[in-house]
């Protein structure tokens, strides 16, 4: 069951470039260290807010990743750009759609 992590972030205007420049290293650390990591997309929203959409193979993989926190340099650098986590949600990717 594919799990989707939806995290809405606020980044200070002077840290937007830091967020973007550290993204590749964060994703590389996720691929190396996080079991079940499938994909991630970062969406820019108005007013220095971002939506990070990350998919995991299972809810257990997501929970294990959350427990690890910023345990690797690339992840810690990315997290350092975040001023505030506005919301965090978890859902299940449904495979249905228009036919």
């Amino acid at each position: 069951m594919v799990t989707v992590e939806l995290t809405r972030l606020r980044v200070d205007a002077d840290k937007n470039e830091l967020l973007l420049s550290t993204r590749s290293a964060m994703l590389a650390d996720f691929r190396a260290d996080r079991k079940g990591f499938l994909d991630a997309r970062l969406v820019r929203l108005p007013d220095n807010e971002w939506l990070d959409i990350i998919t995991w193979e299972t809810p257990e993989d997501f929970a294990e990743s959350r427990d690890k926190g910023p345990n690797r340099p690339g992840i810690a650098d990315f997290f350092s750009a975040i001023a505030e986590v506005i919301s965090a949600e978890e859902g299940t990717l449904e495979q249905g759609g228009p036919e």
Side-chain angles (χ1 to χ4, degrees):
M1 177 181 316
V2 174
T3 297
V4 180
E5 170 188 0
L6 302 162
T7 306
R8 190 173 182 132
L9 314 165
R10 188 180 61 73
V11 176
D12 293 333
D14 64 335
K15 299 271 180 129
N16 281 322
E17 288 305 315
L18 177 62
L19 186 82
L20 294 173
S21 68
T22 59
R23 183 67 171 183
S24 293
M26 189 272 294
L27 294 175
D29 281 351
F30 265 37
R31 286 185 190 96
D33 185 60
R34 307 293 166 113
K35 178 179 166 271
F37 171 73
L38 296 174
D39 186 52
R41 295 176 186 250
L42 188 61
V43 180
R44 186 186 297 249
L45 303 170
D47 300 322
N48 296 314
E49 291 184 8
W50 299 80
L51 180 63
D52 203 358
I53 304 167
I54 302 177
T55 53
W56 301 93
E57 287 182 12
T58 68
E60 293 80 17
D61 293 336
F62 172 48
E64 184 178 314
S65 174
R66 189 176 46 232
D67 289 343
K68 286 185 173 187
N71 66 325
R72 296 185 67 137
I75 299 168
D77 289 345
F78 180 81
F79 282 14
S80 74
I82 299 168
E84 175 187 6
V85 174
I86 298 167
S87 65
E89 297 183 59
E90 175 181 349
T92 302
L93 185 63
E94 298 296 328
Q95 296 301 322
E99 297 193 29

